[in-house]
């Protein structure tokens, strides 16, 4: 890990000795992956107009 990952790229890593918690997190991530579809064109991304979404859109979307 390096500072750029956390401060600029919003990457984080977690280490857990709790095997049950890790299994639950993995199951949740895999479930999210299964229901998502690949975005081929920007026009496929539909964002709501609420303040939080607009904030994250300005903060992160241009990095995609």
């Amino acid at each position: 890990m390096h500072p750029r990952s956390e401060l600029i790229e919003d990457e984080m890593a977690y280490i857990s000795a709790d095997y049950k918690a890790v299994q639950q997190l993995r199951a949740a991530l895999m479930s999210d992956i299964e229901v998502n579809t690949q975005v081929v064109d920007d026009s496929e991304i539909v964002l709501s107009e609420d303040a939080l979404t607009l904030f994250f859109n300005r903060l992160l979307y241009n990095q995609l």
Side-chain angles (χ1 to χ4, degrees):
M1 290 182 44
H2 52 83
R4 179 185 173 101
S5 291
E6 183 179 351
L7 299 174
I8 297 173
E9 298 168 355
D10 294 324
E11 295 175 347
M12 297 188 89
Y14 295 95
I15 299 172
S16 176
D18 185 345
Y19 186 69
K20 185 176 179 179
V22 172
Q23 286 180 312
Q24 291 173 342
L25 179 58
R26 185 179 192 287
L29 290 171
M30 296 309 289
S31 175
D32 286 348
I33 290 170
E34 288 176 12
V35 299
N36 285 296
T37 58
Q38 182 178 4
V39 174
V40 179
D41 186 78
D42 287 354
S43 64
E44 297 177 67
I45 301 173
V46 179
L47 301 173
S48 65
E49 296 292 326
D50 63 84
L52 187 60
T53 299
L54 292 173
F55 170 76
F56 281 107
N57 184 31
R58 288 189 191 121
L59 181 67
L60 300 172
Y61 185 78
N62 290 332
Q63 297 179 31
L64 296 177

